[in-house]
Amino acid sequence: MQLGLLTAPFEDTKLQDVAAWAGANGFSSLEVACWPSLGGKNRRYAGTSHINVDGLSADQGQDIIGGLAEHGVSISGLGYYPNPLHPDEAHREDVIGHLKKVITGASSMGLSIVNTFVGGDRTLNVDENWSRAREIFAPIVAHAKDSGVKLCFENCPMIFSYDEWPGGHNIAYSPMIWRRIFEEWGDAVGMNFDPSHLILQFIDQNRFIKEFGPHMAHVHAKDLMIDRDGLYERGILSAGMGWQVPRLCGLGDVVWPDFFSSLYRVGYDGPIIIEHEDRLFEGTDEKIKRGFLLARDVLQPFIK
């Protein structure tokens, strides 16, 4: 296994500087955030552009990889997490267009993983969204396959705020949908697994890993704490509003020894990428780094 981090929180830091800090502090892998460089207001934890994939050449890609290698750091995959099932057609075409560029960029760099979302229209039910996903993603999956890239979907419901409520912005969150995904596209796609999203849904982590472990090509390490007072006050029909609290590893309800035990049992031996969404460790570069180091110290004993 390789312990690393998602570069998204370092939006104002150059990739080589992120790599220098990461390599000096015991991290060996980076998932590189690749949103388009458009400026303006971005979704929380989104918008960072550490590699401009628009027209990226193989030589440019190898220069980037070589620069990171000088710090003992490799790239686990490229990350871009938009909503390809957005109800607005123009928005949908924009994000799908960029997603295809990220896939092409990964191929040019010789990378095999691009992480993203299936997406979802929060006003439609799951079955209606799935019908749209089959149609919309068919050419995207084909493009990834032709490019030698595995498209990996994260299992996040994307329901953290009321502009995402009630149905969320990503339908690839439950075993029912994941079975459909792999029945539809097989090994052409994979899962970017994040255990924190199972805590929110009260889904058995070990059972989930046992069933879908062979499809996990990339893993995020993020924790989540259930605020029991908030849950009591609002109930489960609020879908997490007011009681799900993203935390750094070790500060929430994920049982990390069980997590690693289950991953080792299914044969997973790839990257473990810390995803930082903890509000208590943000606001300054120093706090963000402190949060990553805290999570590193929790996870490091399991990385062999």
Side-chain angles (χ1 to χ4, degrees):
M1 289 183 176
Q2 310 89 45
L3 185 61
L5 57 89
L6 173 59
T7 67
F10 295 109
E11 58 184 350
D12 297 320
T13 306
K14 293 181 179 179
L15 180 60
Q16 292 295 334
D17 292 334
V18 176
W21 179 83
N25 285 278
F27 299 101
S28 61
S29 187
L30 297 178
E31 179 187 356
V32 181
C34 291
W35 271 263
S37 303
L38 299 178
K41 185 178 180 180
N42 293 301
R43 189 187 80 226
R44 183 173 174 80
Y45 306 118
T48 302
S49 180
H50 275 133
I51 295 178
N52 182 0
V53 296
D54 196 357
L56 182 73
S57 69
D59 287 343
Q60 290 171 325
Q62 289 307 306
D63 286 344
I64 293 170
I65 289 174
L68 300 189
E70 292 178 3
H71 303 291
V73 174
S74 62
I75 297 178
S76 66
L78 303 185
Y80 174 51
Y81 300 89
N83 184 357
L85 301 187
H86 196 282
D88 181 79
E89 183 178 1
H91 177 88
R92 192 166 65 244
E93 289 180 355
D94 284 346
V95 301
I96 290 173
H98 186 71
L99 177 57
K100 289 181 176 179
K101 290 179 181 179
V102 175
I103 293 168
T104 300
S107 180
S108 297
M109 297 178 72
L111 302 174
S112 60
I113 298 291
V114 166
N115 297 314
T116 193
F117 288 145
V118 171
D121 181 340
R122 66 189 178 96
T123 67
L124 301 179
N125 66 42
V126 172
D127 290 333
E128 290 168 337
N129 269 300
W130 172 244
S131 294
R132 295 179 70 238
R134 292 181 65 196
E135 178 182 353
I136 289 171
F137 266 93
I140 305 173
V141 172
H143 173 60
K145 188 175 181 179
D146 291 344
S147 302
V149 171
K150 186 180 286 287
L151 198 60
C152 293
F153 303 121
E154 186 178 346
N155 62 308
C156 175
M158 278 305 293
I159 180 165
F160 297 99
S161 59
Y162 281 114
D163 64 338
E164 298 160 344
W165 190 86
H169 283 183
N170 183 35
I171 62 168
Y173 56 78
S174 70
M176 178 185 74
I177 291 298
W178 278 105
R179 292 187 198 106
R180 293 183 187 181
I181 287 171
F182 294 123
E183 287 171 4
E184 183 76 15
W185 296 306
D187 291 337
V189 301
M191 182 187 296
N192 179 26
F193 173 58
D194 183 332
S196 70
H197 306 307
L198 301 184
I199 298 294
L200 166 66
Q201 300 177 82
F202 301 94
I203 291 176
D204 186 292
Q205 170 187 263
N206 296 336
R207 181 176 175 181
F208 190 88
I209 294 174
K210 182 178 181 180
E211 179 172 358
F212 297 106
H215 298 286
M216 293 175 183
H218 197 271
V219 169
H220 277 176
K222 187 177 71 184
D223 219 328
L224 187 134
M225 180 182 74
I226 293 179
D227 180 340
R228 297 288 168 175
D229 290 334
L231 176 58
Y232 174 82
E233 188 70 21
R234 295 169 181 255
I236 62 169
L237 296 183
S238 64
M241 298 297 156
W243 52 270
Q244 61 163 324
V245 184
R247 300 304 312 271
L248 285 157
C249 305
L251 302 182
D253 295 334
V254 174
V255 181
W256 293 102
D258 285 356
F259 168 82
F260 280 100
S261 176
S262 292
L263 286 179
Y264 278 122
R265 284 202 300 272
V266 297
Y268 182 80
D269 201 29
I272 305 292
I273 301 297
I274 299 168
E275 185 179 13
H276 189 329
E277 294 185 355
D278 193 323
R279 291 177 182 269
L280 295 182
F281 292 88
E282 62 180 29
T284 68
D285 191 60
E286 181 182 5
K287 285 184 177 181
I288 291 170
K289 290 177 177 177
R290 183 184 178 195
F292 276 123
L293 295 178
L294 186 155
R296 176 203 64 186
D297 291 348
V298 170
L299 302 181
Q300 189 64 66
F302 300 101
I303 306 293
K304 301 298 181 184

